[in-house]
Amino acid sequence: MDGIEGAQTGSGAGSPSAGSVTAAGSVEALLAGVGSFLAGADSAALIDQIRGLEEVKSGIAALQARLAIAFEMDQYREQAEAGVPAPEQGQGVAAQLALARRESPNKGSRLLGLAKALVTEMPRTMAALETGQLNEWRAALLVKETACLPVEDRAAVDEELAADTGTFTGAGDRAIIAAAKAAAYRRDPRTLSQRAAHAATERSVSLRPAPDTMTYLTALLPVAQGVAAYAALTRQAASARSTADTRTHGQVMADTLVERLTGTPGGISRVDIQLVMTDRTLLQGDSEPARLAGYGILPAQWARQIAAERPDEPERETGPDPEFSVFLRRLFTAPGSGELLAMDSKARFFPPGMRRFIEARDDTCRTPYCDAPIRHIDHIIPWHNGGPTTLANGAGLCEACNHTKETPGWSVKPQPGSRHTLNVTTPTGHTYRSTAPPLPGTLPAASGQEDRQPVTAVCVHQRQEQNQVEEQVHSDNVGEGLR
């Protein structure tokens, strides 16, 4: 997320211990040495240096894993001394590691799991990582493919493969995965079979951005269902091509998927997509990019196109689609800073309206380095501690970060700033800053341009009747949109 800074607290209560400061000093010395590193004099020397630095990176990854386990043990001890019930001890450890490594909480959990496996269960793989014979990614592949095994079987596979002896020298990712799978199956075929049966319960669908205003819609399905779905789309594409359809095979498959899922050819059916742009982009042809909730930044021309008609769809001979309409809702932002101040609504000021406001302001989870979708609108200062239900005291969080925030030792406080800002303090006393991202049209602080107060339009797409479309699009009061 833009506008996020990390900072470590100074001395005083809750500040890092002397030992950690000493460790930080040694890391600073290491970084200073890297900064003064001299490149080799010829091609051979440069390749030797690149190879050596790769081995150093692997060694550092191994050291991070050991430090992560040491930190977890310290946290368990401190939480036990503080009277935290045994089942709740260890909460927040992965989140703190994620912040320290500038990663998302989800990635922090995976890194902690990797560290546990390497340090406590797979010493040969750990040795290979420490000596640079495996990098962190390939060590993670070995850990992943043995995750379902009991501890003793995993240790046996680790001994059998013995990565620290150069077993995987010259091997690619697929070879490493195949070797680990084969060794795991020989040790415990029953568990592997049960794992395959359990995998069907993890079926899911996800969406992530792709370049050029495209997205990847991914479905994780049991093999039979996945093959059947793909075969059905392939048959439809072959049928369309046989009737002289000008679309490519892949285009027909994609269009068929969208139509069958949404029930409409264009794919837009009673959805609120929250396309945010400046009034200048919408009405005056300005080049300021727009922002689409759940996707990110979009070109101005594309935003105007979707506000006027369905994108990527041929113009209808009978005119605009009567089942498609655009509602506009004005958002008012502060001059220069882009702080979201207010939003049009016919309704009274009540929680659903506040939720839409905060979602438009925060865009994604407000925890530093986490860009997961917003699932909870949370009080920054908890309600039970006297925190008011106000926009300034509200923040959008993913479910995992909201639960982490409630564990002992964590605190979040709103801070004054040009845009909505909050500080997240972890149980170790480290503080990380999160600032709401600027809305489209916000001028850079050092741009030297005259401050303007951008009026931002949210385009809401819904299926309605034609007369309602005309009434909303041509109304002088563009704020009378979604109720």
Side-chain angles (χ1 to χ4, degrees):
M1 171 185 296
D2 291 339
I4 292 178
E5 301 176 359
Q8 180 172 306
T9 56
S11 60
S15 63
S17 65
S20 65
V21 172
T22 302
S26 64
V27 171
E28 291 174 358
L30 176 61
L31 291 175
V34 172
S36 61
F37 187 82
L38 298 177
D42 54 37
S43 297
L46 290 171
I47 288 296
D48 287 340
Q49 288 179 331
I50 291 171
R51 175 61 178 269
L53 289 172
E54 188 64 27
E55 293 176 354
V56 170
K57 283 166 56 181
S58 297
I60 290 175
L63 180 57
Q64 281 186 312
R66 293 195 183 279
L67 294 177
I69 298 306
F71 173 71
E72 183 185 41
M73 293 175 64
D74 273 353
Q75 286 288 286
Y76 269 96
R77 177 182 53 78
E78 292 174 6
Q79 291 177 11
E81 292 174 353
V84 176
E88 299 178 12
Q89 292 174 15
Q91 291 184 0
V93 172
Q96 293 183 73
L97 291 173
L99 288 168
R101 294 191 61 168
R102 296 187 173 95
E103 297 283 5
S104 69
N106 182 271
K107 182 67 177 292
S109 180
R110 296 201 304 270
L111 289 170
L112 178 58
L114 172 65
K116 288 180 180 179
L118 291 173
V119 173
T120 64
E121 299 174 8
M122 303 182 71
R124 305 298 293 267
T125 302
M126 181 64 169
L129 183 62
E130 289 176 320
T131 57
Q133 294 176 336
L134 281 180
N135 59 28
E136 187 177 31
W137 168 251
R138 290 183 172 173
L141 293 178
L142 289 172
V143 169
K144 178 182 177 182
E145 295 304 328
T146 57
C148 61
L149 297 176
V151 173
E152 58 276 10
D153 287 337
R154 178 181 244 180
V157 170
D158 181 60
E159 182 68 28
E160 177 184 335
L161 298 179
D164 59 316
T165 64
T167 301
F168 295 118
T169 299
D173 291 354
R174 290 187 178 182
I176 292 175
I177 292 172
K181 282 184 174 180
Y185 188 79
R186 285 194 297 269
R187 290 285 171 181
D188 193 354
R190 182 177 180 181
T191 297
L192 269 293
S193 299
Q194 291 174 343
R195 180 185 177 189
H198 175 74
T201 65
E202 299 177 350
R203 58 192 182 276
S204 62
V205 177
S206 61
L207 184 74
R208 58 191 176 92
D212 304 323
T213 68
M214 302 291 281
T215 58
Y216 297 104
L217 176 65
T218 304
L220 178 63
L221 301 171
V223 62
Q225 295 178 10
V227 170
Y230 189 82
L233 294 174
T234 301
R235 285 194 301 270
Q236 179 63 30
S239 175
R241 296 284 291 169
S242 67
T243 59
D245 194 312
T246 58
R247 293 173 295 173
T248 66
H249 187 88
Q251 288 172 343
V252 175
M253 292 179 68
D255 293 346
T256 302
L257 174 66
V258 171
E259 182 173 353
R260 292 185 178 179
L261 286 177
T262 64
T264 180
I268 299 179
S269 174
R270 277 208 173 274
V271 294
D272 175 350
I273 67 171
Q274 293 206 68
L275 176 63
V276 184
M277 70 185 87
T278 67
D279 57 337
R280 300 179 297 278
T281 295
L282 177 63
L283 303 174
Q284 300 175 14
D286 194 84
S287 60
E288 178 68 32
R291 189 179 78 192
L292 180 63
Y295 180 86
I297 300 300
L298 295 168
Q301 179 59 38
W302 191 94
R304 282 190 291 272
Q305 181 182 359
I306 197 173
E309 60 183 29
R310 295 189 182 185
D312 306 323
E313 181 176 309
E315 188 173 332
R316 296 162 52 95
E317 296 181 359
T318 57
D321 186 348
E323 295 295 322
F324 182 70
S325 65
V326 176
F327 288 77
L328 302 180
R329 183 188 300 281
R330 290 177 297 182
L331 304 176
F332 297 94
T333 58
S337 70
E339 170 76 4
L340 184 57
L341 300 177
M343 177 173 63
D344 273 338
S345 178
K346 287 185 67 176
R348 294 169 54 192
F349 193 67
F350 64 109
M354 295 174 66
R355 180 183 183 90
R356 288 195 296 268
F357 184 101
I358 293 172
E359 287 174 340
R361 181 194 70 195
D362 293 351
D363 192 36
T364 60
C365 177
R366 284 294 297 279
T367 298
Y369 312 114
C370 181
D371 54 6
I374 292 174
R375 295 288 182 251
H376 295 170
I377 303 299
D378 185 58
H379 290 77
I380 298 174
I381 300 176
W383 171 264
H384 56 79
N385 288 341
T389 304
T390 62
L391 295 172
N393 194 47
L397 298 174
C398 68
E399 184 175 359
C401 288
N402 190 29
H403 293 323
T404 297
K405 168 182 170 290
E406 299 301 323
T407 56
W410 288 77
S411 67
V412 183
K413 295 181 179 179
Q415 297 293 319
S418 59
R419 293 194 304 276
H420 188 264
T421 302
L422 54 89
N423 281 352
V424 179
T425 303
T426 67
T428 59
H430 292 76
T431 297
Y432 303 83
R433 178 169 298 173
S434 170
T435 301
L439 269 72
T442 303
L443 300 179
S447 66
Q449 302 183 43
E450 181 181 355
D451 283 345
R452 296 182 290 177
Q453 180 166 344
V455 181
T456 306
V458 177
C459 301
V460 181
H461 296 250
Q462 290 192 317
R463 296 174 64 85
Q464 297 288 341
E465 296 299 328
Q466 176 65 27
N467 60 345
Q468 293 175 304
V469 176
E470 295 174 349
E471 176 185 350
Q472 293 296 338
V473 172
H474 296 99
S475 172
D476 289 335
N477 187 355
V478 297
E480 304 298 319
L482 183 65
R483 289 162 171 76

